[in-house]
Amino acid sequence: MAIREILEVPDPRLKIVSSPVEADEFNDELKTLVEDMFETMYAAPGIGLAAIQVGVPKRLLVIDLQQPDEDAEPETDEDGVERYPTKNDPRVFVNPEILNPADELSTYQEGCLSIPEIFADIDRPATCTVRYQDLDGNTHEEQLEGLMATCIQHEMDHLEGIVFIDHLSRLKRNMALKKLKKMRAAA
Ligand code: NI
């Protein structure tokens, strides 16, 4: 396994529309890419990553929401605050498609490993069904809600060459890009 470089805006590769993973590409190379994507995502850290974010223009994404595990014993952190340990739930979606997105919207403050330190409220359909293939090429359908529904829609945008700040008004997007530039200059 290896940590790969995460592309950041304005890298033009982030605007590529990714191509389907073909039937003969469900192989060890794909499994290695997925392992590397998880390692890269956990190290960042983040909760979702599309293949194009590591420079591979394929319709593939990984998600692990790493939510608190309320069945576990709470742990006390260095500030004396009790927290549940996070639970790993690694998910792989190959050739995902969104079916019947809800009319009802929900709003989350989104961020993206390709746009570090920038966060903004984005509205998206609150629930949706995703049809996808697993690493063996089998097709599944799953109803999603909450953060998972938002996260998969964010990651699927990457497959179309779209990043979350593209959903903002031009004014807000320009402000975000300016802030990013300023932070990079200061780094
Ligand atoms: Ni992203």
Side-chain angles (χ1 to χ4, degrees), residues 76-164:
T76 307
D77 71 11
E78 61 233 36
D79 299 321
V81 180
E82 282 210 336
R83 290 179 204 285
Y84 289 108
T86 53
K87 184 167 51 181
N88 280 99
D89 181 21
R91 302 292 315 272
V92 181
F93 299 90
V94 184
N95 297 327
E97 293 170 70
I98 295 282
L99 313 172
N100 55 33
D103 293 331
E104 185 203 336
L105 301 179
S106 64
T107 308
Y108 273 93
Q109 192 186 55
E110 296 189 20
C112 180
L113 295 178
S114 294
I115 318 172
E117 311 287 331
I118 303 292
F119 301 92
D121 283 345
I122 305 291
D123 299 327
R124 299 185 188 270
T127 64
C128 60
T129 301
V130 61
R131 179 188 291 156
Y132 66 98
Q133 287 170 281
D134 60 28
L135 283 175
D136 296 318
N138 300 314
T139 301
H140 305 268
E141 265 184 37
E142 195 174 322
Q143 175 76 22
L144 302 177
E145 58 178 23
L147 181 58
M148 192 63 183
T150 292
C151 189
I152 201 149
Q153 292 175 71
H154 171 120
E155 299 310 329
M156 288 202 49
D157 273 355
H158 281 296
L159 306 185
E160 303 303 325
I162 295 166
V163 291
F164 80 94

Side-chain angles (χ1 to χ4, degrees), residues 47-59:
I47 60 170
L49 194 68
I52 189 59
Q53 291 181 276
V54 293
V56 180
K58 283 284 166 186
R59 303 188 79 82

